[in-house]
Amino acid sequence: MADVKKIAVIAGDGIGPEVVEEAIKVMKKTEELYGLSFEFEHGLFGGIAIDEKGTPLPDETLEICKRSDAVLLGAVGGPKWDSNPKELRPETGLLGIRKALGLFSNIRPATIFDCLKEASTLKPEVLEGTDLIVVRELTGGIYFGEKFRREGEHGEEAVDTCVYNAVEVERIVRQAFEIAQKRRKKLASVDKANVLETSRLWREVVNRIAPEYPDVELEHVLVDNCAMQLLRRPSSFDVIVTENMFGDILSDEAAMLTGSIGMLSSASLGEGAFGLYEPVHGSAPDIAGQGIANPIATILSVALMYRLTFGYEEAAASIEEAVKAVLDAGHRTGDIAVDKSQAIGTTAMGDLIVAAMK
Ligand code: NAD
């Protein structure tokens, strides 16, 4: 019997609770199949926490997260809270939780399922074999630099500053090298070193630590070139590591290679093995409560948790293979179905994946 791992479950709003329920079913099945053991502790977060506790991120929820080994998050937000003041908005809770838990990187895989190639806007032959991860720095760079307005020679001016220190660069680049070591051992470091000083520091740090990872093949790619190559030769990438703003844009571009938002998992990591795992999609208020949401993004987030936080490689692979088998057998939720009349619901999709696990 494996030691008991504590999982903080923060289902949130809209379809969050619906998709998280299916992910927990999958986790329970891996307990049976692989002798794993989890203790789930639920916390309020987002809109529901605003309604019940008067804040999007109650202290007790944060405490639950801090005493856990990993966090499983659904999604937050909805029209009910859209016009609230900033401190009473669900999204403020998202920024707060990442900061409070020291999560400085965001990891997003983009994997093509052969049977869903048609859902992408790219040609199937370009997508063939695409399986990449974007590692984005989350707490530094231009989004967090000093911002101000001033009176310039031609009137009003706005200034955003981009600052990175070597420590911030090193910790995320090391994380990316380590992820690459567990995959196909290729790392693309993306910057704009021909123009930006922060990028020149970024590249220096990458080159300084690269010799410590001799088994990983490193390439430096300028961000504009990377944007092009993601569309031209996506399958040649394994792990991409980049700063905050470039990562924001490139991870959305990479996500769209796969065609459906209901399929995309993500992780936010800090120092050590602890991580927060969530689907890339939001709370989908337009379909909430109807039992038709696609739970696959959240289920694949569990596979990511097993791999990145716990090292449960076999169980992770079993989840991914079950998802693939169910899709190969033709089962689809509404968002990925060509013939919508054949679409199955959230619970049915979860049940099929559980049944397909070996
Ligand atoms: P969304 O991702 O919730 O929905 C976009 C579209 O994709 C909708 O048509 C929705 O029905 C569909 N969709 C999303 N997930 C799906 C799934 N699993 N299965 C089937 N269809 C799915 O984005 P949005 O509409 O821009 O935002 C809705 C709310 O979610 C907002 O309040 C927003 O702030 C919030 N949001 C939260 C997060 C988060 O919790 N991390 C992320 C993005 C948006």
Side-chain angles (χ1 to χ4, degrees):
M1 194 79 174
D3 48 333
V4 181
K5 302 293 187 193
K6 286 193 179 148
I7 309 296
V9 180
I10 301 177
D13 309 312
I15 61 169
E18 302 169 41
V19 292
V20 162
E21 195 180 325
E22 301 312 309
I24 289 177
K25 252 167 35 186
V26 166
M27 292 180 80
K28 291 195 166 148
K29 182 71 180 180
T30 61
E31 291 186 311
E32 253 173 61
L33 290 174
Y34 293 93
L36 310 180
S37 186
F38 299 106
E39 195 180 289
F40 300 99
E41 206 176 348
H42 295 256
L44 291 174
F45 185 53
I48 186 172
I50 295 171
D51 289 353
E52 293 190 19
K53 302 279 177 184
T55 168
L57 177 55
D59 288 343
E60 54 263 45
T61 300
L62 204 49
E63 286 312 311
I64 292 173
C65 294
K66 284 183 175 163
R67 62 175 176 259
S68 70
D69 297 302
V71 181
L72 178 64
L73 179 71
V76 296
K80 182 175 176 192
W81 306 282
D82 275 351
S83 44
N84 278 9
K86 191 165 167 246
E87 66 282 5
L88 285 181
R89 293 190 57 145
E91 298 78 6
T92 306
L94 276 177
L95 291 180
I97 201 167
R98 292 198 175 112
K99 190 154 180 258
L101 298 175
L103 305 172
F104 59 78
S105 77
N106 187 250
I107 316 264
R108 283 214 216 164
T111 308
I112 305 297
F113 288 88
D114 277 350
C115 60
L116 291 182
K117 271 193 290 201
E118 308 304 324
S120 173
T121 50
L122 292 196
K123 292 186 188 129
E125 61 269 29
V126 174
L127 289 171
E128 187 77 46
T130 295
D131 175 11
L132 62 89
I133 284 189
V134 179
V135 179
R136 166 189 170 194
E137 204 289 327
L138 212 51
T139 56
I142 200 162
Y143 294 169
F144 292 92
E146 201 188 340
K147 305 165 195 307
F148 56 92
R149 298 283 178 105
R150 68 183 171 201
E151 217 34 57
E153 203 184 322
H154 304 288
E156 195 179 17
E157 284 179 352
V159 181
D160 293 293
T161 49
C162 182
V163 181
Y164 266 109
N165 63 53
V167 175
E168 288 170 314
V169 179
E170 179 166 341
R171 65 184 183 182
I172 185 131
V173 170
R174 281 193 185 282
Q175 204 174 67
F177 268 114
E178 281 159 27
I179 292 171
Q181 278 182 321
K182 293 185 202 143
R183 293 173 44 96
R184 300 195 308 280
K185 302 186 171 44
K186 284 171 66 178
L187 181 65
S189 171
V190 174
D191 61 36
K192 188 74 183 166
N194 52 344
V195 182
L196 298 178
E197 203 51 43
T198 43
S199 281
R200 283 193 273 270
L201 173 69
W202 181 282
R203 202 177 272 217
E204 276 167 33
V205 172
V206 173
N207 284 334
R208 180 159 53 75
I209 64 175
E212 295 175 44
Y213 304 89
D215 51 335
V216 177
E217 184 192 326
L218 170 70
E219 67 170 334
H220 295 284
V221 188
L222 293 174
V223 61
D224 40 346
N225 187 26
C226 185
M228 289 197 289
Q229 300 306 333
L230 270 174
L231 300 181
R232 204 170 71 99
R233 51 165 183 105
S235 62
S236 71
F237 290 105
D238 179 15
V239 179
I240 292 173
V241 63
T242 191
E243 60 99 75
N244 203 345
M245 184 167 66
F246 298 162
D248 190 7
I249 298 164
L250 292 178
S251 59
D252 271 13
E253 186 190 353
M256 272 304 101
L257 299 173
T258 67
S260 170
I261 184 122
M263 303 287 299
L264 297 165
S265 58
S266 81
S268 299
L269 304 177
E271 301 286 1
F274 179 86
L276 180 148
Y277 298 84
E278 59 180 320
V280 166
H281 62 71
S283 58
D286 53 334
I287 58 164
Q290 298 175 32
I292 57 171
N294 186 348
I296 294 179
T298 316
I299 290 171
L300 290 176
S301 299
V302 170
L304 210 51
M305 176 199 292
Y306 283 9
R307 195 164 276 136
L308 297 179
T309 290
F310 299 129
Y312 294 157
E313 179 56 41
E314 250 188 311
S318 149
I319 295 172
E320 289 161 352
E321 279 156 26
V323 167
K324 184 171 179 301
V326 169
L327 293 173
D328 282 346
H331 304 292
R332 304 277 189 273
T333 43
D335 57 319
I336 48 173
V338 179
D339 178 358
K340 305 279 177 213
S341 69
Q342 299 291 313
I344 61 171
T346 311
T347 313
M349 180 55 93
D351 288 344
L352 283 165
I353 292 169
V354 166
M357 284 169 63
K358 297 201 183 84

